[in-house]
Amino acid sequence: MSERVNVKKKQSTPVAGAKAEAALPALGPKGMLRWAWTQLTSMRTALFLLLLLAVAAVPGSLFPQRPANPANVTQYIKDHQDYGKLLDSLQLYDVYSSAWFSAIYLLLFISLIGCVVPRAIAHYKAMRSQPPRTPQRLSRLPEYGTLVVPADAGIPASDAINSAAGLLSKRGYRVEVRDADGALPSLGAERGFMKEVGNLVFHTSLIGVLVSVAAGGLFGYSGQRILVEGDTFVNTLVGYDQFNPGTNFQPSQLQPYSLQLDKFNITFDRESKGKFGQPIDFAATVTTKENPDAPAKQEILKVNDPVNLGGTSIYLTGNGYAPVVTIRDGNGNIAMQGPVVAKLQGDNYYSSVVIKVPDAKPDQLGFVGFFLPTAFVTDKNVSFSADPELFNPQLTLNSYYGDLGLNSGAPQNVFELDVRNLTPLNARNLAAGGITLAPGSTATLPDGKGTISFDGVKRYIGVDIHHNPGQVYALVFALLAVAGLILSLYVNRRRVWVRTGTAADGRTMVEYGLLARGEDHRLAGEAAALRELFATEWQLPADAAEEAASDSVDPGTTAGSQQTPSRTSDNVAGSVSTPAGPTGPEKDQ
């Protein structure tokens, strides 16, 4: 029963009944598309997509990425068999080229374009349009003031409005004078269009950054190479130890430059007790050629100071020692000769060494051990490196023979030796013992398998080579975005209206009002500055502002009626009033 009564009460009024019976029209396909486009191109959606893009990039730092290191991804899947393949199906090992990351990226791109273009068109029209008409009651504006020009000053209302227009123009306002020859001439002035220009530059620059990053991902490439002193790198695909091409990379993009490592020098700390022996400076002397026919040029490659060649940046990222060895097989032939890169493993350049000799006859040979720049042995017969410099270099190895597995075609890590299918020759737990070599010494392998000689030590460096065609553009757009943001924060959009009229006693009455588009904490200061300019222009007393009450020009006053203003200050001639009116902003008219 109570429900029926409530229904009757709701339908008792005509408006409620009409609302209850009203049926909303169906949007239809076009309406739905228009609504979806409006939602996508709103600034709220763009900010949400920007945040979502940042969140979507997080898995790229949590899981190994296939473009950077496929071996790490394969190993990760093996180590996490319960969910490793599931993550692969979700493209979490290829985050930045995944379908869901690309979808967010493209939606953000479209959203920004759909937001910026209409705003740019609207702002262009606003810049070409005239300032808004003069409001009926200027006293209702947030900042309002009046001035009274004495009759003996000889400044009629038309001259006052023209001089006010000149002052505002010099101050950067776009001014339009209305009814200059009428009884109540007025003007509208506006400035601060650079605020919206800054907003548009900021958002357009974000689009530019997105395009630049996309161009870098599509047409860029990166790679790594280890160079031993005396080695030369040529910028071809076979010259890289590891190469990561962009989606649309073409081999023709590679510029045929060359880089040779002449000498690598390290400066170690020899004064500090806490950091004694720590490297404090790295410098690689390199010889470069822009192309095979170009003259050679010597340059210095340092940390965070790359060498730029052929549109690429070459960075110094690592270094170490490379023992030079000569290995003869069981037939007495040289099966291998040259430097072997030692991988850093501990303090003072303690490094691991792996040597694979697939050309040895009659059996392939393998060596694994470590290199010590300054070898010391403890009382427990444990070797360690006491200093990173080459004061007492030592090469300690175990040797093996058998099938290295290189002929199967399966990729192998050059810094690892799989000894499961190999037969040991030298080791500490064998009768032959391990191999310990100093520079210039030679060890003979058991069972006539050959010899190994330690000929000397060279240094090596690791370099990262990056080509990103969008890098410079991304920097330019990022700087433009910062400049646009500064403009939008520090430039204020303001409007000023001034109205003048002549009182019955011949005085010229002036009133003005200011309105800001959005928040403007400096609007009061602008109003004070305008009062001072007007007072100086019309030679009004500077101290009259504190003594006079407000005078206003009645919008209904005409040249014929000469009505007295609604608020007067007859006691002070030539007065300047303090602002009056409500503090809350009023809608633009």
Side-chain angles (χ1 to χ4, degrees):
M1 186 66 180
S2 59
E3 293 180 358
R4 294 180 180 178
V5 173
N6 291 334
V7 171
K8 289 181 179 180
K9 288 183 178 179
K10 291 180 180 179
Q11 295 180 352
S12 60
T13 61
V15 175
K19 288 183 177 180
E21 296 176 0
L24 296 176
L27 288 178
K30 291 185 178 180
M32 287 296 297
L33 289 175
R34 189 180 297 109
W35 175 84
W37 176 254
T38 303
Q39 297 301 313
L40 178 61
T41 57
S42 67
M43 187 54 62
R44 181 186 304 172
T45 303
L47 292 176
F48 173 76
L49 289 173
L50 189 62
L51 177 62
L52 187 61
L53 188 70
V55 174
V58 172
S61 60
L62 297 179
F63 304 105
Q65 296 299 296
R66 188 171 280 110
N69 197 328
N72 284 354
V73 175
T74 303
Q75 187 63 40
Y76 188 88
I77 294 175
K78 290 181 179 180
D79 296 340
H80 305 84
Q81 296 183 2
D82 48 350
Y83 61 87
K85 293 184 178 179
L86 175 62
L87 297 180
D88 195 12
S89 64
L90 296 175
Q91 297 182 299
L92 291 180
Y93 305 129
D94 301 274
V95 169
Y96 306 110
S97 59
S98 63
W100 47 271
F101 189 87
S102 301
I104 298 173
Y105 195 92
L106 290 175
L107 284 175
L108 176 60
F109 187 77
I110 295 172
S111 178
L112 286 174
I113 293 179
C115 178
V116 169
V117 172
R119 288 182 60 178
I121 295 174
H123 186 59
Y124 175 76
K125 292 180 179 178
M127 292 179 66
R128 293 179 60 86
S129 63
Q130 296 299 328
R133 64 184 180 85
T134 307
Q136 280 290 96
R137 298 183 180 275
L138 293 178
S139 60
R140 300 181 63 184
L141 297 179
E143 293 296 331
Y144 172 75
T146 61
L147 299 95
V148 180
V149 181
D152 55 7
I155 303 176
S158 58
D159 291 348
I161 204 68
N162 289 328
S163 62
L167 293 174
L168 290 171
S169 296
K170 292 179 181 179
R171 201 165 176 80
Y173 285 89
R174 187 187 56 168
V175 183
E176 181 191 22
V177 178
R178 292 118 182 203
D179 196 20
D181 298 329
L184 292 175
S186 65
L187 64 82
E190 191 172 12
R191 79 171 186 181
F193 288 100
M194 293 303 294
K195 182 180 182 68
E196 181 64 13
V197 171
N199 277 325
L200 294 173
V201 168
F202 173 74
H203 292 98
T204 304
S205 298
L206 288 182
I207 299 174
V209 170
L210 292 177
V211 173
S212 301
V213 173
L218 290 173
F219 305 104
Y221 60 86
S222 64
Q224 293 78 38
R225 174 65 189 266
I226 292 178
L227 286 174
V228 182
E229 288 176 331
D231 285 355
T232 299
F233 163 73
V234 179
N235 190 32
T236 59
L237 287 178
V238 296
Y240 287 87
D241 294 331
Q242 184 174 340
F243 187 77
N244 303 310
T247 307
N248 289 352
F249 168 79
Q250 299 295 330
S252 59
Q253 293 179 232
L254 297 176
Q255 300 295 322
Y257 65 80
S258 64
L259 181 142
Q260 176 180 312
L261 177 61
D262 301 324
K263 187 70 175 176
F264 181 65
N265 297 311
I266 307 179
T267 302
F268 297 100
D269 187 354
R270 299 301 181 184
E271 298 179 358
S272 173
K273 293 183 179 180
K275 298 181 178 180
F276 184 84
Q278 296 294 318
I280 57 178
D281 187 46
F282 307 90
T285 304
V286 296
T287 299
T288 62
K289 284 187 175 182
E290 288 284 352
N291 55 69
D293 299 326
K297 180 181 178 182
Q298 195 169 73
E299 300 186 58
I300 302 297
L301 176 63
K302 305 188 73 173
V303 177
N304 297 326
D305 188 10
V307 169
N308 297 308
L309 280 173
T312 67
S313 297
I314 304 172
Y315 296 88
L316 176 62
T317 58
N319 69 92
Y321 290 107
V324 181
V325 298
T326 299
I327 299 175
R328 295 180 180 271
D329 60 16
N331 298 331
N333 299 319
I334 295 179
M336 176 187 172
Q337 187 174 39
V340 178
V341 173
K343 185 179 180 181
L344 294 180
Q345 297 290 348
D347 297 333
N348 294 323
Y349 279 69
Y350 171 89
S351 308
S352 63
V353 177
V354 172
I355 306 174
K356 301 177 184 181
V357 193
D359 296 330
K361 304 295 182 183
D363 298 299
Q364 295 180 345
L365 299 175
F367 301 84
V368 60
F370 53 88
F371 171 75
L372 305 175
T374 302
F376 270 74
V377 182
T378 66
D379 53 359
K380 296 182 179 180
N381 201 27
V382 176
S383 299
F384 70 98
S385 180
D387 195 274
E389 284 280 15
L390 295 173
F391 294 133
N392 182 32
Q394 184 182 93
L395 186 61
T396 302
L397 300 170
N398 294 338
S399 64
Y400 302 84
Y401 75 94
D403 185 8
L404 298 176
L406 297 176
N407 297 328
S408 64
Q412 291 189 14
N413 191 333
V414 295
F415 296 109
E416 294 180 359
L417 178 65
D418 187 357
V419 300
R420 291 176 296 181
N421 298 323
L422 300 177
T423 303
L425 287 171
N426 292 95
R428 294 181 62 181
N429 58 350
L430 299 179
I435 300 174
T436 301
L437 297 173
S441 61
T442 302
T444 302
L445 304 179
D447 303 330
K449 297 298 182 181
T451 62
I452 179 171
S453 300
F454 183 15
D455 302 330
V457 181
K458 291 185 177 182
R459 294 185 185 272
Y460 74 85
I461 63 172
V463 294
D464 272 0
I465 302 164
H466 292 272
H467 172 67
N468 188 345
Q471 183 175 357
V472 175
Y473 298 101
L475 175 62
V476 171
F477 283 120
L479 294 176
L480 285 175
V482 173
L485 186 61
I486 292 175
L487 274 178
S488 64
L489 291 177
Y490 288 95
V491 175
N492 297 105
R493 184 83 175 271
R494 295 166 179 165
R495 289 171 176 171
V496 178
W497 292 275
V498 180
R499 182 186 288 118
T500 62
T502 304
D505 56 3
R507 293 179 301 170
T508 299
M509 317 301 293
V510 181
E511 64 173 347
Y512 59 91
L514 287 82
L515 179 67
R517 294 285 300 272
E519 294 185 3
D520 186 358
H521 302 292
R522 295 174 292 177
L523 188 63
E526 178 70 7
L530 291 180
R531 284 198 301 271
E532 183 177 353
L533 283 176
F534 293 154
T536 303
E537 177 70 13
W538 298 320
Q539 298 181 0
L540 303 179
D543 57 348
E546 299 180 359
E547 302 175 3
S550 296
D551 283 278
S552 66
V553 180
D554 188 349
T557 304
T558 61
S561 61
Q562 296 288 324
Q563 295 180 355
T564 303
S566 59
R567 292 194 300 270
T568 60
S569 56
D570 295 333
N571 56 330
V572 179
S575 63
V576 183
S577 75
T578 55
T583 58
E586 181 179 281
K587 184 178 179 181
D588 294 347
Q589 300 187 34

